[in-house]
Amino acid sequence: MHQSAAKWIASLLRDRNIPFLVCGGLAVRAYGSQRDLHDIDLFVPGEHFLSVVQAGQPFISKAAAHRQEEGWNLTYVQFKYEGVKVEVGKADGAQIFDAQNRAWVALNIDFSRYETVHLLGLELPLMLKKDLIWYKSVLSRPVDIEDVLAIR
């Protein structure tokens, strides 16, 4: 299921020459975690966000909007493709909650910093391991701590 959803979103983005970075659980899996995958998370540059929303319109399960939830403060859209949630975040202005300092901090997504990994039958651009460890350490939710331990 995750393979066809990943193939769908990667094709949608590549057909439009939209840069993207895979983060979250799928990236953690690529770096060695064994935990179950719940969804596919990725970021696109702000100037491409609306075209992603329009292109994926038939599969929207959560409308594109700015949300502040579970340690995240960002604009994203959620698609559901063959039962799999695919969340695409707008990189511009994205923030995460620093659990230790109790403050919002910028999540500076740099699309020139990635590692291409063969995953789910695709070549995917992943957030660098050190960047993933940084943001998951800052968030420090139980799942993030588990992820950091698994990929270190």
Side-chain angles (χ1 to χ4, degrees):
M1 288 188 310
H2 288 92
Q3 184 174 14
S4 72
K7 199 172 277 189
W8 168 74
I9 193 64
S11 294
L12 183 143
L13 297 168
R14 288 184 171 135
D15 289 351
R16 290 159 184 78
N17 294 312
I18 298 173
F20 64 100
L21 267 184
V22 174
C23 60
L26 184 56
V28 170
R29 288 280 303 255
Y31 290 125
S33 170
Q34 297 301 310
R35 83 167 162 94
D36 287 343
L37 199 54
H38 299 291
D39 59 10
I40 296 172
D41 299 303
L42 49 101
F43 279 100
V44 298
E47 66 266 22
H48 297 290
F49 183 73
L50 285 178
S51 63
V52 173
V53 172
Q54 290 164 350
Q57 193 74 40
F59 301 98
I60 291 177
S61 56
K62 222 187 231 188
H66 188 91
R67 295 182 174 86
Q68 189 173 313
E69 56 193 20
E70 294 180 29
W72 291 89
N73 183 11
L74 77 163
T75 299
Y76 76 94
V77 62
Q78 182 187 87
F79 302 109
K80 201 166 226 178
Y81 187 84
E82 294 184 4
V84 176
K85 287 190 270 182
V86 178
E87 295 182 340
V88 179
K90 179 179 173 183
D92 304 41
Q95 295 180 315
I96 55 173
F97 192 72
D98 182 333
Q100 186 175 349
N101 296 312
R102 314 273 318 137
W104 290 101
V105 295
L107 180 63
N108 295 312
I109 304 291
D110 182 347
F111 292 92
S112 69
R113 292 173 47 85
Y114 64 92
E115 183 175 337
T116 302
V117 176
H118 189 78
L119 193 62
L120 300 177
L122 299 163
E123 296 295 318
L124 295 172
L126 260 61
M127 178 178 277
L128 291 179
K129 187 177 185 176
K130 71 184 259 183
D131 296 346
L132 192 62
I133 288 172
W134 174 81
Y135 98 68
K136 289 200 158 275
S137 297
V138 169
L139 279 169
S140 284
R141 299 168 303 179
V143 69
D144 298 310
I145 293 165
E146 177 188 330
D147 286 345
V148 169
L149 293 172
I151 64 179
R152 276 208 166 126

